[in-house]
DNA sequence: CAGTGGTCTAGACCACAAG
DNA sequence: TTGTGGTCTAGACCACTGG
């Protein structure tokens, strides 16, 4: 006999328990929402909320009519936090500072994959943690999309932070990779030429028009962590 | 006058529109759920569902009693997919294969940070994409926690895939970083010594006992992508 | 066609935390 | 203390899709 369950968290925990204890093995079908609700003594919506969460994590596969089954090959989804650099540094208990190294307006190199007709602001920024190089960032901003950037004061807020506060909600894509530090990277990050640096490339859109593209190179030793 | 809105997706879209159009700027308080529900002509639960989703993405900050505001410094949360390697390779349109290079049972080196009293299976595996080295993986499995691993047939399924199918639901933590390829990495990944490799370190737990720890080094050129 | 998940509603009570 | 989000319920209809 199952104990009565009420909250969706409890339902989730019970489902996870059954998966863990192999009452339901990977690939197995589990009862439909209505039946589970009756068995666990709660409303169907509650079961729905619980199972939906597990499906979002990739633990369950749900399809209308086909029902719900335990994922056979769980494509686990982990959530990584993408904070602005200042917060990232401060979370490490260090003091953040940033320096704008270069700032000029001009056309964009074809290598950036952007419309070559617009004007762009080119920004090179170094972020410091307790005075040591932390992140070297090279960015182009499309002034046709974000004209207010042209006169932005970047002393108090870094380019990214400034954009975040003034450009409203945006979509974007992001890619993580490892690269050997270029001469330029090495010089700014104070690391050996060729050292492995964690690189984040990010494009931010306003609708379907790219606002900004950036390549961020973290000083050696950087780690991005999360749980799953 | 606002058009009537019904679904939670529509509510979300409307809220995003208002943020984007700076009707609500970063840092601003937005109306409470009840008022929004009336204004948009839907049930409060619907508004709740919509706003909760945006809060999960880091776009809104919500606190009981304090209300909901547009995040000032959005710690955006991106979801990265952690598939099993076979799927990852196949998604690239390539053929996956894997070779177990080393497999032995013995104590664990202190460097792994695991209990040194248990017996461990040590596994070294190379994953191939269209025959080319793709991922070099070094893993230890605690046989006290996952004894069935001792007799596992790893010809058809790689160690990770086998564990996923037989160890039930597990928690874990994961870290991404960049490292210069060691001599060992370089030999197996067929890349220059010192090349930048994308490294994933992962610990998987059964409750609070570590089942397995693994270091995965991807061949140069690997990228992990997502959207935000 | 019919079963399953997806969602909406109206009303209710609870938990938390700001003032 | 009291306003705000968090959640539950019962019932209903819809949307998708497998058979």
């Amino acid at each position: 006999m199952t104990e009565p369950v009420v909250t969706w968290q409890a339902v989730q925990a019970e489902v996870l328990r059954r998966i863990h204890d192999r009452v339901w093995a990977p690939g197995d079908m589990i009862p439909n929402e209505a039946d589970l609700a009756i068995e666990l003594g709660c409303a169907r919506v509650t079961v729905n909320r619980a199972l939906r969460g597990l499906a979002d994590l990739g633990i369950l596969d749900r399809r209308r009519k086909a029902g719900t089954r335990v994922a056979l090959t769980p494509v686990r989804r982990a959530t990584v936090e993408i904070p602005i650099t200042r917060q990232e540094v401060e979370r490490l208990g260090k003091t953040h500072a940033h320096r704008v190294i270069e700032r000029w307006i001009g056309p964009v190199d074809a290598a950036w994959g952007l419309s070559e007709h617009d004007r762009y602001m080119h920004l090179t920024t170094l972020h410091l943690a307790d005075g040591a190089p932390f992140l070297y960032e090279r960015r182009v901003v499309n002034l046709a999309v974000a004209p207010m950037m042209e006169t932005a004061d970047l002393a108090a807020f870094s380019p990214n932070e400034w954009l975040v506060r003034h450009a409203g909600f945006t979509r974007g894509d992001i890619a993580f990779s490892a690269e050997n530090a270029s001469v330029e990277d090495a010089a700014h990050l104070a690391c050996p030429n060729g050292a492995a640096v964690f690189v984040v490339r990010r494009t931010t859109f306003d609708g379907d028009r790219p606002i900004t593209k950036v390549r961020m190179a973290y000083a050696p030793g950087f780690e991005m962590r999360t749980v799953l």
Side-chain angles (χ1 to χ4, degrees), chain A residues 135-183:
Chain A
L135 168 64
Y136 175 63
E137 156 185 326
R138 201 167 179 86
R139 176 189 299 268
V140 295
V141 182
N142 188 334
L143 291 174
V145 183
M148 60 289 191
M149 193 70 190
E150 189 154 357
T151 55
D153 172 15
L154 299 178
F157 298 112
S158 69
N160 183 46
E161 196 163 356
W162 196 94
L163 279 166
V164 150
R165 288 173 183 252
H166 293 81
F169 169 74
T170 53
R171 288 182 319 100
D173 55 50
I174 193 164
F176 309 93
S177 60
E179 295 185 18
N180 289 101
S182 66
V183 175

Side-chain angles (χ1 to χ4, degrees), chain A residues 3-27:
Chain A
E3 286 290 290
V5 175
V6 239
T7 68
W8 67 266
Q9 291 95 333
V11 172
Q12 223 173 53
E14 171 62 11
V15 171
L16 287 177
R17 188 194 63 76
R18 293 189 187 184
I19 295 175
H20 179 270
D21 295 352
R22 315 202 62 71
V23 179
W24 297 329

